[in-house]
Amino acid sequence: MSKKTNIRNIEKSFNYLDNPDWRKRELGDDVLVIRDAEISGINFIDLSWSNLHFINCDFFGIYQIKLKSLRNTTFEDCRFAGVVSWGKANNLRYIRCRTGGRSIVLDYSGSSNVLLEDCDFLGSDPDPNHWGGIGSRGDATFVRCRMKWFSLAGYKQINLESCETADVKIWTDSRANSGEDYFSSSVKIESSKLRGKFDMAACDLQSVTIKDTYLDFLDLSGAEIKNDVLIERVRGGYLNASAHSMGKLTISQCQILGRRKNFSFEVGMDSAEEVLIEHCNFGTDPTLSVGLGAGRPLEPNEWTTTPKNKYALIRNSTLPVMDASWLESRHLRLENNTIGSVDISDSRIGKLEISGNTISREVNLQGTKVKESKIQPLAKAQLKLDGANIRLN
């Protein structure tokens, strides 16, 4: 960090920060501008700050700044190193700010309206155990920011707009952290580039929306998502949407063409109440699968009487290999797709419909039990029905 004047040597500003009541008596609610200062080496503990504008300031130290609250404050061209706690924060704005390493800049539960614009948050170590974090224990919006090897916090909501990331992790609340009253975050990402791994695995989330975004590897495995997941006009590599549970999953107008362990896209459809996959291209590589089933054999006592998945529709899409084996669904429909091969073996499906698809290789329905089915005409050599109770139309 460049050498700046320590805040203790900017006497008036220091006194105002150190004694907020005195400042209010002198200035009322006027904004206090502090420029070119180094805020370090001094403890600001359990104070309530408000109506501040820091310009080109450096903040560093370990828990030397641990406020009770911070309101209506802007940080412009500022740098942070260490651990800073704003207390309960409301209406914060970071403009062209920077932090890195293991630095953590955060607030308390009950915070709201934290906006970060044109900022750089760059870690120095690829090991996630050594990453820093920034954001809010309320809601945080990142606009045109660049992040690498860093955690992005948002206990109620995380928004990314026109951002670029490389190997980052979402930092959310959890039952283990806050008990039964924990927050579950809504995540919204638009017009961004997510390089490396964008990690939301095992998070407790309210909803997920991703639009008009490039990604290398999006990981939602093991997440608990209370409401819906919408992924629209996304292109790139590998998408693991194998959450433990979610509401409706919609994947629309996407190109997911990458390779990871022979999969481009994975989701346990039986973890979602509804699934809609439409106008998507998963490529034509016959060694690359789209995994839609349980992905493992189910024991007899694991089959449920009423599957969580009420309806799954895949239409107008291109899939090289569709693997929906060991699937539980009340209604599965494949319509007007171009598919290399289909595996719906060992599944339990209330109503199975396959119509209008172009399928170049086999359709494996071995061991599958259905209550009702409607299957398009297929070449005899394509179809495998051993152990199934399906009758052809």
Side-chain angles (χ1 to χ4, degrees), residues 169-189:
K169 183 177 177 63
I170 294 297
W171 180 357
T172 60
D173 201 6
S174 66
R175 184 178 286 103
N177 183 61
S178 300
E180 294 300 322
D181 295 328
Y182 74 95
F183 296 116
S184 53
S185 183
S186 296
V187 177
K188 186 175 182 180
I189 302 170

Side-chain angles (χ1 to χ4, degrees), residues 125-150:
D125 190 327
D127 183 348
N129 294 316
H130 300 159
W131 291 0
I134 195 166
S136 176
R137 286 191 170 93
D139 60 277
T141 296
F142 300 83
V143 180
R144 297 181 304 277
C145 292
R146 292 157 297 279
M147 310 88 152
K148 181 178 182 180
W149 298 338
F150 226 72

